[in-house]
Amino acid sequence: MIPRRKSAELFALLDSNPAVVLLGPRQVGKTTLALDIAEQRPSIYLDLESDADRAKLAEPELYLTGHEDKLVILDEVHRAQGLFLNLRGLIDKGRRKGLRSGRFLLLGSASMDLLKQSGESLAGRIAYLELTPIHGLEVAPDDLNQLWVRGGFPDSLLAGTDSISQRWRIDFIRTYLERDIPLLGPRIAAETLRRFWTMLAHHQSALLNAAELARSLGVDGKTVAAYLDLMVDLLLVRRLEPWHSNAGKRLVKAPRVYVRDTGLLHSLLGLTTIEDVLGHPVAGASWEGFVIETLHAVMPEGARPHFYRSSAGAEVDLVITLPGGGRWAIEIKRSLAPTVERGFHHACLDLQPDRRIVVYPGREAYPLGNGIEVLSLPELGVQLAWNGR
């Protein structure tokens, strides 16, 4: 079992909130993490995809009141969304008895309905935590390339061969399209959504051009926006927003879009091995998305990520505004001998960042001149995580 960095944060949230929702795509390791917690405190686990476990909640208040001295773990909670109103009453009754934390751990794939109903029913009583696929600070440096190629879903990453890993990801994509997404969101033809997902893979890290995607799919721009919102809500796609300021610069307004897990990205493009990936035009954009996902997973609470791009060509791949107001400008390079273009220097003149960083696949840290630091991904991730403490 690969230790997850979110474990400590999840324990802290359970110790300070009556209910916690652990969100993440299917097969990302939510149940494994929850069962690990269950071994360390009195708990009861119910899988709401099981008819037997759902039957136990036919009278939810009666059943759950009998277990108010335990942490109740409800897996696939989106299968019983009407339960949230019952939980609110149970939490409020428990508070009057002095039971103020650690009552319920709810596991679910992030869907619009789940977030909406839990937020409306349990406002002020619930905390949210996202469990991402395994990221670059959760594996040894020697395993980074394998993580990049196969992605962070545990069954894909730990498969015996690249071919087995690829087979798992292909099956995962098919199951998500044909079974899971229809359960979690609006009904969309699986083949249409596969085409859309594949188009996003071909445009990894590019500016969103909804009109172009709409023409390719034969739908209108509003439909493309709805498809994208669904994929973002399900934590399968990231929409990185552009930096905005009042500096009078003409800045790009369209977001950049990334397939979040690079293993899924590579499967959508038919890439199995690292040689396949390195020989494909998507390699640089794939590495960029991989770095962004790792940094996003470890950045401190309240940090805000953007990219910067002006009409004059000034550009930074990632701008992180820290909770205390500091700003890091990060350029992402796949080369072992990275250099920065003129656009990065111009962007730094506009942004005036506290740090100028180039992240690359090597391991040595060294200065590049003009105040620029070259760092490995693990080193940058550690520095970013510690900056929030």
Side-chain angles (χ1 to χ4, degrees):
M1 178 176 172
I2 296 176
R4 303 305 307 270
R5 292 175 64 95
K6 290 292 185 181
S7 297
E9 189 174 352
L10 180 55
F11 273 107
L13 288 175
L14 286 170
D15 289 339
S16 57
N17 295 275
V20 177
V21 174
L22 183 63
L23 297 169
R26 273 183 172 275
Q27 305 296 320
V28 81
K30 301 186 299 295
T31 301
T32 300
L33 182 56
L35 293 177
D36 183 53
I37 288 173
E39 293 179 356
Q40 302 179 52
R41 59 176 68 189
S43 304
I44 182 170
Y45 172 84
L46 299 177
D47 181 0
L48 299 187
E49 287 199 327
S50 161
D51 291 337
D53 282 355
R54 281 203 307 274
K56 294 176 183 178
L57 295 178
E59 296 289 339
E61 290 197 31
L62 180 63
Y63 180 83
L64 294 174
T65 298
H67 296 285
E68 63 181 14
D69 58 335
K70 302 181 182 71
L71 170 67
V72 178
I73 301 170
L74 300 174
D75 203 347
E76 302 297 342
V77 71
H78 55 272
R79 297 296 296 270
Q81 294 180 11
L83 190 61
F84 291 122
L85 287 174
N86 300 108
L87 296 184
R88 181 175 66 181
L90 290 166
I91 288 170
D92 291 344
K93 289 178 184 177
R95 281 175 164 172
R96 291 191 286 272
K97 297 179 182 179
L99 304 172
R100 306 191 65 84
S101 64
R103 300 287 310 283
F104 300 100
L105 175 57
L106 315 177
L107 313 182
S109 304
S111 71
M112 293 173 284
D113 288 343
L114 173 62
L115 293 172
K116 180 181 178 182
Q117 291 200 30
S118 63
E120 289 175 351
S121 304
L122 298 174
R125 305 167 180 86
I126 194 165
Y128 299 91
L129 183 66
E130 179 188 340
L131 184 67
T132 67
I134 295 164
H135 58 73
L137 266 67
E138 294 178 318
V139 300
D142 288 341
D143 296 329
L144 272 180
N145 276 338
Q146 180 167 298
L147 176 63
W148 173 43
V149 172
R150 296 185 177 184
F153 288 90
D155 287 340
S156 175
L157 176 62
L158 301 176
T161 67
D162 287 339
S163 296
I164 295 173
S165 173
Q166 174 77 309
R167 180 73 260 173
W168 184 92
R169 283 175 273 139
I170 290 171
D171 291 341
F172 175 89
I173 291 169
R174 180 176 180 179
T175 302
Y176 232 98
L177 291 171
E178 296 180 358
R179 176 185 178 274
D180 295 331
I181 290 179
L183 287 174
L184 296 168
R187 294 191 176 275
I188 303 169
E191 187 55 37
T192 300
L193 206 53
R194 176 187 289 276
R195 287 176 57 205
F196 178 68
W197 204 354
T198 304
M199 287 178 187
L200 294 181
H202 281 285
H203 291 83
Q204 179 82 344
S205 90
L207 296 175
L208 175 65
N209 187 331
E212 179 185 342
L213 293 172
R215 284 194 300 271
S216 299
L217 287 170
V219 298
D220 59 29
K222 290 184 178 179
T223 302
V224 164
Y227 290 174
L228 182 60
D229 285 342
L230 175 62
M231 302 299 277
V232 170
D233 287 334
L234 295 176
L235 307 176
L236 298 171
V237 170
R238 181 172 302 283
R239 187 166 40 202
L240 185 63
E241 298 295 337
W243 169 272
H244 290 295
S245 72
N246 298 319
K249 302 283 183 179
R250 292 182 59 192
L251 303 178
V252 166
K253 296 181 180 179
R256 279 181 168 169
V257 180
Y258 299 84
V259 176
R260 292 184 56 170
D261 182 74
T262 51
L264 298 184
L265 167 71
H266 299 151
S267 289
L268 288 165
L269 298 175
L271 309 175
T272 301
T273 67
I274 190 167
E275 288 78 13
D276 295 339
V277 176
L278 293 175
H280 194 280
V282 82
S286 172
W287 173 254
E288 181 180 319
F290 177 71
V291 170
I292 287 172
E293 285 306 306
T294 293
L295 297 181
H296 200 281
V298 302
M299 68 176 57
E301 186 74 25
R304 291 174 288 126
H306 298 88
F307 74 94
Y308 182 90
R309 186 171 180 179
S310 74
S311 59
E315 186 171 1
V316 176
D317 292 329
L318 184 63
V319 180
I320 298 178
T321 304
L322 297 168
R327 187 178 302 149
W328 293 6
I330 300 169
E331 190 73 358
I332 302 168
K333 297 293 184 182
R334 180 62 201 167
S335 170
L336 289 174
T339 59
V340 294
E341 291 78 24
R342 184 179 301 175
F344 179 79
H345 297 292
H346 289 170
C348 288
L349 290 176
D350 298 338
L351 292 166
Q352 293 297 307
D354 298 282
R355 295 183 68 180
R356 308 177 185 197
I357 300 167
V358 174
V359 58
Y360 80 130
R363 298 190 183 184
E364 183 181 358
Y366 61 92
L368 196 60
N370 296 316
I372 299 172
E373 314 163 60
V374 177
L375 297 175
S376 68
L377 176 56
E379 176 62 25
L380 175 56
V382 168
Q383 291 187 21
L384 181 60
W386 275 100
N387 199 79
R389 298 191 178 186

